Amino acid sequence: MAEFTMELNGDQREVRDWLHGFAADVIRPAAAEWDEREETPWPVIQEAAKVGIYSLDFYAQQYFDPTGLGIPMAMEELFWGDAGIALSIVGTGLAAVGVLANGTDEQIGTWIPQMYGDQNDVKVAAFCSSEPDAGSDVASMRTRALYDEAKDEWVLNGTKTWATNGGIANVHVVVAVVDPDLGSKGHASFIVPPGTRGLSQGQKFKKHGIRASHTAEVVLEDVRVPGSCLLGGKEKLDERLARARERARAADGGERVKNAAMATFEASRPAVGAMAVGTARAAYEVALDYATTREQFGRPIIDNQGIAFQLADMRTRIDASRLLVWRASWMAVSGKRFTSAEGSMSKLFASETAKEVTAQAVQILGGNGFTREYPVERMHRDAAIYTIFEGTSEIQRLVIARTLSGMPIR
């Protein structure tokens, strides 16, 4: 187990600087265009693939960094470049985490490479959990998966929403109900291979922010997948369901059983916090530069205490957010339990910080900050998503409170 440290080692600094260069030279110059187009920035993803950023090998190296800092460091630098384009680059990772969290070694080796493709033919993947009537309330999920024992196939029916890369993905990871009597404990995850009949894209959402990232509904109509596409396998699922039924009969609500969606979100929340840190840091840097060069009444506006104090608070919150993210990431890789919901803490504080810091940046730039000539307007729109996706701020507070009180997280 690596000791917790705030000092990046030589290899980590080299990777950080490489990512920062890509974000500055490739992502940022393209950010405004793809935000306006509201389309997946395939050319940028292609460039990321060519240099090795959009690849299974790169994310595996960061994911298995023994300090736990590889992923948050990468997320911060890419999202410093632009949140919408960065999400298009890293969005496949949520589906990959879904497979890593729930799949067998064979499933991991089979499906994750197909999520990325290669530098000559890039692919993306989608993780499909939320539904029109089941966002934060995963227990209300209606998408069903029924087992056809004669054919050893699962039949999926339902509609998913808010799916990053939904409909355009090569591989979809779908969370569905296999036992409705068990609530969220009766869920399982399934791989839907490319070209599977019955899966289609519903409406594509026109969003307030992160507009370069494709978000859409995914419609499943009698989608048949082989039994081998159940993540973890049927034997493991049957054992888990049997334990859940036994606990339900014993009415022991104090025992916690992870469901498929929660396992994915728990693993990804610190990474989302790192994304928020990147956006907040970008907006802060623009505001700081503006405040030191913009003159009013014969002096830089940073000489005004009202501006200077805002910048001080912005930087303090950014650094505190990074500390929480790094702590949670280190705990996760070190096998330490989140006894105080440290993963949710990191996501909550960093996401709220991104909203506040980007709003302050707009204010510091005044009328210029309200125009699209300056990037803080876009950053402020993008930051709104962090308090919503992968668990709203309200859900994070609920998770933290219930963890501290010992109440079950449903």
Side-chain angles (χ1 to χ4, degrees):
M1 181 179 72
E3 293 295 325
F4 181 72
T5 175
M6 292 301 300
E7 187 70 30
L8 298 177
N9 61 40
D11 290 342
Q12 290 170 327
R13 288 196 297 271
E14 184 176 343
V15 172
R16 180 198 60 192
D17 293 344
W18 171 54
L19 290 170
H20 186 80
F22 183 84
D25 298 339
V26 180
I27 294 178
R28 280 208 168 175
E33 175 189 352
W34 291 100
D35 178 72
E36 290 286 346
R37 292 176 62 167
E38 298 191 52
E39 297 175 359
T40 300
W42 291 108
V44 183
I45 300 175
Q46 186 88 44
E47 286 300 311
K50 286 180 180 179
V51 300
I53 293 173
Y54 187 76
S55 71
L56 172 61
D57 288 344
F58 172 74
Y59 286 107
Q61 289 173 15
Q62 305 315 310
Y63 187 85
F64 292 110
D65 181 335
T67 69
L69 302 185
I71 288 294
M73 178 189 65
M75 294 301 105
E76 180 177 339
E77 293 305 327
L78 292 173
F79 280 74
W80 172 89
D82 176 69
I85 291 178
L87 190 57
S88 289
I89 294 173
V90 308
T92 293
L94 185 58
V97 168
V99 176
L100 284 168
N102 301 294
T104 65
D105 290 342
E106 181 179 357
Q107 290 169 331
I108 291 169
T110 298
W111 295 110
I112 293 184
Q114 295 187 48
M115 294 179 174
Y116 290 95
D118 57 49
Q119 60 181 310
N120 297 314
D121 184 22
V122 294
K123 305 291 186 183
V124 294
F127 182 75
C128 307
S129 176
S130 293
E131 298 184 1
D133 296 318
S136 299
D137 183 11
V138 294
S140 297
M141 191 177 294
R142 295 180 180 178
T143 296
R144 291 294 307 276
L146 299 176
Y147 184 55
D148 184 341
E149 189 171 359
K151 296 183 178 180
D152 186 27
E153 292 180 339
W154 289 89
V155 185
L156 279 62
N157 281 282
T159 299
K160 294 295 182 178
T161 193
W162 308 120
T164 299
N165 298 328
I168 66 171
N170 193 48
V171 176
H172 291 76
V173 178
V174 177
V175 182
V177 178
V178 294
D179 188 334
D181 294 334
L182 294 176
S184 62
K185 299 178 181 66
H187 296 175
S189 289
F190 299 85
I191 292 286
V192 180
T196 300
R197 294 178 58 184
L199 184 147
S200 62
Q201 179 183 307
Q203 68 167 317
K204 176 186 174 183
F205 295 104
K206 297 181 73 67
K207 305 187 299 294
H208 174 67
I210 55 167
R211 301 198 303 195
S213 174
H214 176 95
T215 310
E217 289 183 333
V218 174
V219 181
L220 305 140
E221 297 179 304
D222 292 329
V223 171
R224 286 183 168 267
V225 299
S228 59
C229 287
L230 166 64
L231 291 181
K234 194 166 188 305
E235 182 177 348
K236 183 177 179 181
L237 172 65
D238 289 342
E239 291 175 355
R240 177 167 64 82
L241 294 178
R243 290 195 302 271
R245 293 184 189 109
E246 183 62 32
R247 287 166 180 155
R249 282 193 292 269
D252 185 4
E255 291 197 61
R256 297 172 189 159
V257 180
K258 287 185 179 179
N259 64 64
M262 285 297 185
T264 301
F265 292 145
E266 285 180 12
S268 63
R269 276 171 179 159
V272 176
M275 298 173 188
V277 171
T279 299
R281 187 183 116 211
Y284 159 77
E285 290 176 0
V286 173
L288 177 63
D289 179 69
Y290 187 88
T292 56
T293 57
R294 170 73 166 174
E295 291 191 0
Q296 290 286 281
F297 306 106
R299 60 179 183 175
I301 63 173
I302 198 170
D303 283 354
N304 298 310
Q305 194 176 80
I307 300 295
F309 281 13
Q310 282 192 74
L311 288 162
D313 287 343
M314 291 159 74
R315 178 58 186 268
T316 300
R317 285 185 63 96
I318 291 167
D319 282 12
S321 298
R322 185 183 296 108
L323 281 167
L324 286 169
V325 167
W326 282 19
R327 179 185 70 167
S329 301
W330 172 77
M331 290 178 67
V333 80
S334 302
K336 293 183 176 292
R337 291 181 57 215
F338 289 163
T339 56
S340 299
E342 288 86 353
S344 290
M345 283 184 183
S346 69
K347 198 265 186 187
L348 169 66
F349 192 81
S351 60
E352 293 290 345
T353 291
K355 281 185 66 174
E356 182 172 331
V357 166
T358 55
Q360 288 176 306
V362 171
Q363 188 69 24
I364 289 171
L365 269 66
N368 288 327
F370 201 64
T371 72
R372 295 188 184 181
E373 296 300 313
Y374 288 80
V376 292
E377 175 272 338
R378 184 180 67 252
M379 294 169 182
H380 183 42
R381 287 188 286 108
D382 291 342
I385 194 59
Y386 298 126
T387 62
I388 298 171
F389 72 175
E390 294 197 50
T392 64
S393 288
E394 292 75 21
I395 288 296
Q396 304 310 319
R397 292 184 176 99
L398 182 65
V399 170
I400 295 166
R402 288 189 169 176
T403 301
L404 295 176
S405 68
M407 294 174 63
I409 301 172
R410 297 178 177 87

